[in-house]
Structure formats: structure tokens, C-alpha cells
Amino acid sequence: MKSAEDIIEKLKKSFHTPSRKDERIKVVVLCIVISTTFWFFSALNKDDYISQVNYPVEIVFNEAEYIATSSLPTRIPIEVTGGGWDLMTRSFGFNMRPLQIRLAEPDQSNFILTSSLRGELTPGLDPVVVNYILRDSLVYDIQKRVSRGFKLQLDPSSISLDNNFRISSAIALQPDSVVWTGPEKMINVLGDIIYVKADLSDIDEDVNKQIDIPEPPELFASSSESTLLSFGVVRMIDVEDNVEIELINFPDSSWIAFPSNVGLNYRIAETQFDVADTANVRVIADYNLLNPNDSTILLKTISVSEYVEELQISTTSIKAFKNE
């Protein structure tokens, strides 16, 4: 087998041998590659290099009971001394099995002092010598995994009814609650109610619709993704009426009011309106409210039905006088 000196000598002769220009360039390049290779391997044979390596670590805990809220540290930077070949293999991560750091109660602290790991790191780097651990601690945030129930409630702004309809029953959600599971500290700062949006407009019939429950925050899991929204609606009708004013607390029957009747306009649920019985609103004149300066009495209205709305009266006061 030819020695390196023989190979280089032959290349020199080839270089001085008349040839084409591109062939000479190839020879020059080859010389450079061989020289660099010899230098590289020669340098790797030295054993007093100082370098920095990142030793792999793996934090291990019970993931069924705990959850990491951010990325866990995976490397520890270390200054080491060793031979070129050893440092090169360690720099590329060869021959370094990750150091497992087992935490029984990871929520009791948020850091590990790297000085406590030196004894476990050294065997994994042998024959490379550890000079310094360049980070004083490994910081993490691992919290207990807990579950908590939240009440579901419809966001009223997410529905709108046709102008002629009103809600006629309780608004029901089934299920009416949801359980979220996630990091303890993060879940404890949340409110007790989760609002769901229906995104319904111009409603003119009873509603039975599956709607989405808002997605929980990142790192959380939810017991349900949707809930059934249901409620009834009723048509409202316009009513015009003329009712007699009721007189109360007057001294005797000789007192009269003018006018004695007033006109009413209101809306009422279609299911509550009876053509044969339109006495849904009472109008009262109370003598105790008589203004002695002008003998007027402010009228009071009383809705007999809870479904009456948008009530308007033709006059708000009457005059009272004694009929002699």
C-alpha cells in the first residue's frame, strides 16, 4: 500500500505534467481535500480540547395526574474537556442516552438544580470530563390535572325573534352543564358560567337545535361538544280596546270622572287572547291621588295578563267632580 507521501508526490508530478487547464484544477482541488482530511484527522487525535455539549434530558412524571403547561427542558449545556473524537461524537448526540429525571410530585416545585444532576451526567459522558454545568437550573411548569363543572347559559344576544313573536317558555339546555379537565391553576381562575351562542335570527317557530359548546382553552379537555337548545315562541297580536275607568276610594257614588272611558292599545300573546273576554287591562282612578288644585287624578293601569306588552293609553289623567 502506498504511503501518503507517495500519493502527494505523484500528485505533484501530475500537476507539472502538461495537461489541460481543467485537469490541473481538479488536481489542485484534490490536493486541498487530501491535505484538509489529514489535518482534520490529526486534530481529532488530540485529547485536551475544551468544548460545550448539550446533554439530553427527559423529565418523567405521571401524565394521567399531571400536565405540563409549557415545553419541558430537553437539554443541559455543559462545558467539557476531552479528546477530539469523543467530543465530536458527543456534539452530534452519539453515545449520550437521555438522562431521565423522575418527578413524583412535579407541582410542588417549578425547577431542578442542575448541580444535583452532576453525578448522573458524568457516567454518560465518560471519557469526556465535565468542567461546568452552564445552567444552574431547569425550569418547568407542571400542574395537577383536575376536573371542574361549569353551568351552561345561552348568550341572549345570539338569538333574535321575528317582531311578531315572543319567547313563551323557559329556555332549556340539555345538558345544562359541562365538565372541563385541565391544569389546576388555570382552571381555578375561570368563571362559573360558560355562555353558548345559538346564532339564530328572525325566529318564528319553536326551537330545538343542537348548538356547539365553546371550545375549552388549550391543554383542556371537555366532556361535551354540544348541547340541545329548546324553547317555545308565541305570536303576538295587536289589540285596540275601550275600557271603563274604575273609581276607587271616592267618598260616595255621586262622584264621577271625565272622561269615564279610555282607549287602549297593546299586544298580547295569541294563545292568551279571548275575543269573548277582552278584559286584559284595568284602568283605575284613585281618589287618594286627587290633585286639589285642578281636581285631576293620574290613572293607573293594571295588566290582568302577564302576556300584555307595549301598553298605550289614550289619556293619562281624568277630572273628578261631584255630580250635584
Side-chain angles (χ1 to χ4, degrees), residues 161-166 203 234-238 267:
L161 281 71
D162 181 283
N163 288 335
N164 294 322
F165 285 80
R166 296 294 181 269
I203 300 171
V234 63
R235 184 188 297 274
M236 304 297 291
I237 60 175
D238 295 314
R267 308 189 86 192

Side-chain angles (χ1 to χ4, degrees), residues 165-180:
F165 285 80
R166 296 294 181 269
I167 295 176
S168 61
S169 69
I171 296 176
L173 293 170
Q174 185 61 39
D176 62 358
S177 62
V178 66
V179 175
W180 281 357

